[in-house]
Amino acid sequence: MSELVSTIQKVLAETGLVLGWSATGAGGVAAPERFHTAEEAEVAIFDSTCVHNLSVHLPRLKGRAVGIVAKACDARSIVELIAEREVDGDQVRVIEVSCTDTLDVKAIWRRYGYGALIEDDGSELRVNGEPVEREAFVQAKCLDCEDRQPATPAGKPVPSGSKPANARQQLREDFQAMSVGERRAFWREQYARCIRCHACREACPMCYCRDVCIMQTTDPHWTGGGINTAEAEMMQLIRVNHLAGRCTACGECERACPVGIPLMLLMEEQNRAIEEMFDYRAGVDPEAKPPLLTFDIKGDSWDGE
Amino acid sequence: MKFISSEKIPGFLEALSARSTVWAPRELTGSGGTVMFERWRPGDPIDLEHYSSLSAKDVVLPRTEKLFGYTYAFGGSPFSGGLGASGTAVAASDSDQAPATSGEQIVIKPAEPAPSTVLFGVRACDAKSIQVLDALFNNPGGEGYNDPQYSARREGLTVITLACTTCDDACFCSSFENGASEKAGSDLILYPVDGGFLAEGVTGKGGELLSEPFFEESELAPPPLAETAVIEGLERLQEILPGLFDDLDFWERVSERCVSCGFCTYGCPTCHCFNIHDEMQGDREGERLRSWDACMFALYTQETSGHNPRPTLAHRYRNRINHKFSYYPENQGEILCTGCGRCIRGCPAALDIRDVLRDALKAARKE
Amino acid sequence: MAGTARMKQPGDLRVIRLPCTGRVNPLLILKAFMEGADGVLVSGCHPGDCHYNVGNYHARRRLELLQRMLPAFGIDPGRFHYTWVSASEGSRWAGVVSDFTRRIEALGKIGAEVPANALAKAEQTAMTDATGKTTS
């Protein structure tokens, strides 16, 4: 029995519920699972296809004891949820797993066909039995991750920096090189295919307003009910604005988007701005004061006053 | 059968686009490989290799469509055209008063007529889904409901289907009667062969296209079509599901992975729920729109009083499965699913509707 | 003050009064841009002078963050400006609004910075152009 399974079983004895993964997902990859008994937990796994941020379920389970298997990035979401009093820290038991990186499963399937066999021992990635270049199919957020464990046999993290390792990183570089006007056109092209399924919102652990979200209220009428470029653009402006200083960069909005809108480009920009302005990262310290809920009389004079 | 070579496809589409709006699947740039049905214009690329991420149902049920536009006019003067100089002039002084009962006028501007459309490169599952939707929306002269806007678009629509010789892990159309050889909903079917496609006319509309100069006679035999994974007994669900209706534990268990986004319904070729809403531009002019809505959203059943008859995710997921496999077959005689697998490929939580259906069949056997 | 002193002010500026810059939800500014405003100016009481004690301290953080995010959204940051003008600074007010209006006039209509070919591409990809509105 793996160490993970026995840990989950130990936590289960206290909480009666653990959120984790089994290998039963569609297409033969990991899928989110709820374990209630030690027997159920025997199928628990952790591998690089465990991409989901399970903390999205925590606000729905508010008020009951729950264990949760979490990667370092997921743990930041849990910390932020606790900081915002949306989750009771005393009731959550975090089982943190060490993680090298997670895969962009969709990208693999687009290249090799949906359901292609993915085998990964942590360093060598094989698809349908053939070795493939790992960096091309790793989620971009993982390449940037500061908590990333050594991934290569030599024990060194693969350097990311000078040259983009995959298409998503290249897209970020292209975006940053655009003029302001080109960016507006870029976003309008991206938003044109938005169907307003709200997957970006629903997959986000921090978007727990859910059914009372102002993206859908009619009064105030921040967005209309139509499904078109203009409404989609406003929707994303709302999302970015409401996640200011709260986004833990887990990347679930972008991963969940069924039409591949690179939503994290905006979140990355905002997180960087917030780090520059306030030296603050969300989801690091549950006692930290969120930067937009406070102020610094002297330190905030960006305009020289 | 007739044959068209791969090189002639763009020319064929160009000829079609001269008289109709053509929709074809394309990989969108900067989208991480998203394939969608888009307006095709001469020179545009086509992707016939991948399955489209979204269905082509926009063609008959646009994600947002204008039912009509309207303008309010006050002061008793007949109001012609849009908000012109005279319109704004009237508005300034009268808008603060209560709407005059005698002088108020509402001018309705009808929506543009539906264009003649060619849908190119859908698969058998998508073509079939149009027929499934027809059962609800398109009954001109019949006893059932006839939706005039849907009906007009359907009338002008020609469907050119690409037969599937391969399938992937998410496909399950073979669970339905005809599987990949389904012809319902198609006007013309293209079978991939070496160097091009064999073409079979299914309806008169499709058959006529074969007389175009792009097609030549061929002795080739059509290729064997794909066989997908099968779930036995889907038609039995119509009897089984009512018995599971009150078993909320079951529905909670099968939907526990769900994060409650609406992709499975919006990506689905047969889901067709909509909302009708007015959008004002200023306080004098507006449009009445019909937009997609989905039973996976809490607001879908939210009542004005605050009461919600489907308060939890489990309630909503139960409705999704029941509508597809119980209510719709009962009312319209068709299962509201064609096995295209989009809800499986696109689900951010790796939820597989086939597991749920198997669980439902299993739960019934136990009883 | 600027009015009673009969100072000249531009006529194409629409003043929307709010009780405090603390009330300025950054989304109000973004919504204005989305609805076609060519520029948005936020003017409040000087930091330290807030009638509600801390409203403009909160606003300052939000407005500065918005200022830095505008380029990512594709909106020229020059179209937005926030500043502090007290009720007694009539001539300063007249100067601020005149300068800002001149700046916006130089930038032109919102969207003028979007290259025509890029915009055409964006519009062409819009699937809904055959069936519904894509822009408003």
Side-chain angles (χ1 to χ4, degrees):
Chain A
M1 192 189 299
S2 79
E3 199 189 322
L4 176 66
V5 171
S6 57
T7 313
I8 291 177
Q9 287 171 337
K10 240 176 274 161
V11 173
L12 262 179
E14 295 169 39
T15 63
L17 173 66
V18 170
L19 307 180
W21 288 275
S22 73
T24 62
V29 294
E33 204 73 70
R34 289 186 189 188
F35 303 119
H36 303 88
T37 63
E39 196 191 344
E40 282 175 13
E42 279 169 17
V43 296
I45 57 149
F46 179 75
D47 65 25
S48 58
T49 66
C50 295
V51 290
H52 325 84
N53 185 346
L54 301 176
S55 65
V56 69
H57 294 286
L58 290 179
R60 283 206 174 93
L61 295 166
K62 200 175 181 177
R64 66 168 295 178
V66 54
I68 177 168
V69 187
K71 308 183 283 288
C73 50
D74 306 340
R76 274 183 69 192
S77 305
I78 300 169
V79 169
E80 185 64 22
L81 284 167
I82 292 170
E84 295 185 13
R85 310 286 183 270
E86 193 56 28
V87 164
D88 183 350
D90 295 335
Q91 294 204 300
V92 176
R93 289 284 310 274
V94 180
I95 304 166
E96 199 162 322
V97 283
S98 83
C99 165
T100 51
D101 48 30
T102 55
L103 300 175
D104 186 344
V105 176
K106 270 193 201 171
I108 297 176
W109 283 343
R110 282 202 179 107
R111 173 84 68 84
Y112 297 98
Y114 178 85
L117 179 67
I118 299 170
E119 294 166 293
D120 182 15
D121 64 6
S123 60
E124 191 186 50
L125 174 65
R126 297 168 81 87
V127 179
N128 288 337
E130 295 293 320
V132 300
E133 194 199 345
R134 180 181 196 84
E135 300 267 304
F137 296 109
V138 167
Q139 294 206 82
K141 68 159 183 177
C142 299
L143 296 173
D144 303 334
C145 176
E146 289 171 17
D147 303 309
R148 196 181 182 205
Q149 311 280 320
T152 59
K156 266 196 254 158
V158 181
S160 58
S162 54
K163 194 172 150 284
N166 65 20
R168 178 56 179 74
Q169 288 194 320
Q170 182 65 52
L171 181 67
R172 179 167 54 200
E173 285 200 359
D174 294 346
F175 177 74
Q176 278 163 353
M178 287 177 200
S179 73
V180 167
E182 284 166 345
R183 287 182 190 175
R184 188 78 195 278
F186 170 81
W187 285 121
R188 293 190 75 81
E189 188 185 346
Q190 298 292 321
Y191 296 145
R193 61 176 183 272
C194 173
I195 47 173
R196 293 189 80 176
C197 69
H198 295 104
C200 48
R201 183 186 76 190
E202 299 297 331
C204 175
M206 305 318 300
C207 276
Y208 45 71
C209 299
R210 298 226 160 80
D211 304 340
V212 291
C213 176
I214 66 160
M215 282 182 194
Q216 281 166 303
T217 55
T218 47
D219 187 16
H221 204 55
W222 283 104
T223 64
I227 302 174
N228 56 47
T229 311
E231 305 296 2
E233 185 167 31
M234 193 62 214
M235 251 179 75
Q236 291 307 329
L237 293 177
I238 291 173
R239 238 173 47 78
V240 173
N241 194 255
H242 280 187
L243 285 162
R246 306 175 56 236
C247 172
T248 57
C250 73
E252 285 290 87
C253 48
E254 183 172 316
R255 187 186 66 78
C257 180
V259 294
I261 302 175
L263 298 166
M264 281 302 288
L265 288 178
L266 290 175
M267 294 301 173
E268 286 163 5
E269 291 283 325
Q270 180 159 276
N271 289 346
R272 191 171 329 125
I274 283 172
E275 209 164 337
E276 270 171 33
M277 291 167 71
F278 310 117
D279 191 23
Y280 179 90
R281 289 174 85 214
V284 174
D285 174 9
E287 302 302 323
K289 195 89 175 146
L292 289 157
L293 290 184
T294 182
F295 55 85
D296 175 355
I297 292 176
K298 286 273 174 277
D300 287 351
S301 317
W302 296 281
D303 55 352
E305 284 212 32
Chain B
M1 263 193 216
K2 295 268 193 170
F3 173 83
I4 179 168
S5 72
S6 300
E7 294 84 61
K8 286 186 181 162
I9 292 285
F12 177 46
L13 292 182
E14 199 168 334
L16 292 171
S17 68
R19 49 184 196 259
S20 300
T21 306
V22 175
W23 293 57
R26 179 199 323 168
E27 180 178 335
L28 303 183
T29 47
S31 69
T34 302
V35 176
M36 278 170 70
F37 283 87
E38 296 279 318
R39 263 301 282 284
W40 185 90
R41 294 172 179 85
D44 284 350
I46 314 168
D47 185 334
L48 294 179
E49 187 190 342
H50 298 97
Y51 297 108
S52 65
S53 313
L54 298 177
S55 80
K57 70 176 167 187
D58 275 80
V59 170
V60 283
L61 283 175
R63 53 184 76 166
T64 287
E65 72 173 307
K66 182 173 156 184
L67 297 176
F68 54 83
Y70 51 84
T71 43
Y72 287 98
F74 296 96
S77 63
F79 197 78
S80 59
L83 261 184
S86 65
T88 37
V90 176
S93 55
D94 291 0
S95 59
D96 295 334
Q97 299 169 8
T101 43
S102 57
E104 181 183 356
Q105 290 197 343
I106 298 172
V107 183
I108 303 287
K109 291 183 281 187
E112 291 85 41
S116 151
T117 308
V118 174
L119 181 55
F120 180 84
V122 290
R123 311 298 178 124
C125 49
D126 287 348
K128 164 75 179 170
S129 71
I130 296 175
Q131 193 218 30
V132 171
L133 290 173
D134 282 347
L136 177 64
F137 288 102
N138 191 31
N139 299 288
E143 279 187 10
Y145 171 70
N146 191 55
D147 185 279
Q149 306 231 4
Y150 178 99
S151 200
R153 276 192 295 269
R154 187 70 182 89
E155 179 74 15
L157 177 68
T158 308
V159 180
I160 302 178
T161 303
L162 174 67
C164 291
T165 50
T166 58
C167 61
D168 73 20
D169 260 20
C171 294
F172 63 109
C173 69
S174 298
S175 307
F176 302 85
E177 208 180 337
N178 299 320
S181 60
E182 178 66 62
K183 290 180 184 171
S186 301
D187 294 300
L188 183 73
I189 300 181
L190 299 178
Y191 298 91
V193 288
D194 270 352
F197 304 91
L198 287 176
E200 178 193 7
V202 179
T203 62
K205 220 191 293 188
E208 274 172 34
L209 294 174
L210 292 174
S211 57
E212 304 258 348
F214 305 97
F215 294 91
E216 52 198 85
E217 290 296 336
S218 169
E219 297 296 312
L220 288 171
L225 297 183
E227 292 280 342
T228 73
V230 174
I231 309 169
E232 299 282 355
L234 286 183
E235 63 292 337
R236 282 196 291 122
L237 286 168
Q238 190 183 338
E239 316 296 322
I240 291 168
L241 287 172
L244 278 172
F245 188 85
D246 288 321
D247 187 355
L248 211 57
D249 287 346
F250 173 82
W251 296 108
E252 267 169 19
R253 192 160 46 76
V254 296
S255 65
E256 64 187 18
R257 281 176 193 170
C258 179
V259 294
S260 190
C261 81
F263 173 70
C264 51
T265 56
Y266 281 4
C268 175
T270 59
C271 274
H272 53 260
C273 289
F274 55 81
N275 188 14
I276 293 179
H277 53 109
D278 286 4
E279 298 296 339
M280 297 291 287
Q281 286 132 31
D283 57 357
R284 303 251 132 181
E285 199 179 358
E287 288 179 334
R288 179 154 299 173
L289 304 176
R290 169 158 75 176
S291 301
W292 291 355
D293 201 351
C295 60
M296 293 308 291
F297 296 144
L299 290 180
Y300 180 78
T301 44
Q302 179 82 54
E303 293 169 12
T304 319
S305 66
H307 171 67
N308 194 335
R310 293 181 202 145
T312 71
L313 188 52
H315 289 89
R316 302 194 277 275
Y317 197 74
R318 175 178 72 185
N319 181 71
R320 175 169 158 76
I321 299 294
N322 272 274
H323 189 205
K324 290 199 164 302
F325 296 95
S326 171
Y327 313 150
Y328 201 81
E330 191 175 326
N331 295 328
Q332 256 69 39
E334 296 269 8
I335 294 180
L336 197 63
C337 172
T338 59
C340 74
R342 285 196 184 83
C343 57
I344 303 167
R345 285 183 209 105
C347 178
L351 179 58
D352 189 335
I353 192 173
R354 295 170 298 187
D355 292 342
V356 179
L357 301 176
R358 286 195 198 97
D359 282 357
L361 289 162
K362 220 186 303 170
R365 257 201 302 281
K366 243 185 273 169
E367 278 159 17
Chain C
M1 181 88 184
T4 49
R6 302 197 176 273
M7 289 172 195
K8 277 209 169 165
Q9 290 182 55
D12 46 2
L13 188 85
R14 164 92 185 265
V15 178
I16 299 168
R17 297 203 317 179
L18 293 169
C20 174
T21 44
R23 171 65 181 87
V24 182
N25 181 344
L27 286 175
L28 290 168
I29 298 159
L30 291 167
K31 182 77 175 164
F33 282 125
M34 293 301 115
E35 298 289 323
D38 298 323
V40 179
L41 170 73
V42 175
S43 172
C45 309
H46 290 275
D49 267 356
C50 183
H51 177 74
Y52 306 98
N53 294 336
V54 295
N56 50 15
Y57 286 134
H58 282 292
R60 189 161 62 170
R61 289 195 156 197
R62 296 173 198 152
L63 297 172
E64 177 64 22
L65 178 63
L66 178 73
Q67 177 88 67
R68 294 179 188 215
M69 282 303 289
L70 285 177
F73 299 144
I75 298 167
D76 193 322
R79 296 186 179 279
F80 171 65
H81 184 56
Y82 71 95
T83 187
W84 318 112
V85 181
S86 85
S88 59
E89 296 174 308
S91 63
R92 181 167 141 76
W93 167 256
V96 162
V97 296
S98 304
D99 289 352
F100 184 70
T101 315
R102 263 198 300 279
R103 186 161 103 195
I104 299 306
E105 277 162 6
L107 284 169
K109 232 176 118 45
I110 188 156
E113 60 272 39
V114 180
N117 57 345
L119 193 65
K121 195 175 157 216
E123 298 302 329
Q124 211 202 339
T125 318
M127 174 191 216
T128 41
D129 62 356
T131 45
K133 64 169 191 175
T134 55
T135 52
S136 65

